[in-house]
Amino acid sequence: MQENNQCIFCDMGNTALVIAENRYALALLDAFPVAELHALIIPRRHVADYFALNQQELIACDSLLKQMKKIIQAKDQSVLGFNIGTNVGEVAGQTISHCHIHLIPRRLNDVSRPEGGVRHVIPGKGYYR
C-alpha cells in the first residue's frame, strides 16, 4: 500500500474537485468516468479498502452516496438507476490502495442488455437467464 504522502486520494479534500463532503469522507467526479457524472466516494482516512472502514466512515460514505445520487439526478433527469461498487484487492481490479466507492449513473439504453449489472465484472457471467 502507498504511504499517505504518495496517495493521490489523501489530499483530495484540499481541491476544488470536491462536490460534497462530511467529517469522514468526500465525493467528487471520477477522473476516468465510465458514464457521465460517475462519482467517487472517498474516506478521508488512508485506509486500504471497504472492509477496513470503521463504523463512522461507513455511515459517512453511505450518507455521501445518497447525497450524490440526489445531486446527479438533479443535474441529469435521464439517470434512472445506479451501479454502486468498490474493488478490494489487486485481483479484483483495485489500482489505488485507498478505499473508494464508485457511484455510476445508468440511463435507459446506455448498454444493449443491462441485466446482470455488476455481474459483468467477470466476462461471460453477467447473463444468467
Side-chain angles (χ1 to χ4, degrees):
M1 182 180 342
Q2 303 108 312
E3 294 297 321
N4 290 17
N5 61 358
Q6 297 175 340
C7 175
I8 63 169
F9 286 162
C10 281
D11 291 324
M12 292 303 255
N14 300 325
T15 72
L17 300 174
V18 175
I19 295 171
E21 61 185 311
N22 58 37
R23 182 175 178 185
Y24 296 103
L26 52 93
L28 52 98
L29 294 181
D30 193 297
F32 302 98
V34 299
E36 186 179 350
L37 299 174
H38 173 174
L40 294 178
I41 310 304
I42 304 168
R44 292 181 185 276
R45 181 171 66 99
H46 185 83
V47 57
D49 61 55
Y50 180 87
F51 296 110
L53 294 173
N54 64 38
Q55 192 64 34
Q56 290 125 330
E57 291 164 334
L58 286 167
I59 292 167
C61 288
D62 183 64
S63 176
L64 284 178
L65 281 167
K66 291 172 181 172
Q67 186 176 350
M68 286 304 297
K69 174 190 181 285
K70 289 178 184 175
I71 290 170
I72 290 167
Q73 288 183 311
K75 286 185 178 193
D76 185 345
Q77 294 177 357
S78 72
V79 174
L80 301 175
F82 290 89
N83 290 109
I84 302 168
T86 185
N87 303 318
V88 178
E90 190 174 329
V91 299
Q94 186 175 8
T95 57
I96 298 171
S97 295
H98 185 131
C99 177
H100 53 289
I101 304 164
H102 295 264
L103 180 62
I104 302 171
R106 300 301 303 272
R107 297 156 179 90
L108 187 62
N109 298 317
D110 60 359
V111 297
S112 62
R113 293 182 63 195
E115 67 271 12
V118 297
R119 297 173 60 89
H120 289 284
V121 299
I122 299 180
K125 297 294 185 179
Y127 301 117
Y128 52 91
R129 297 191 244 173

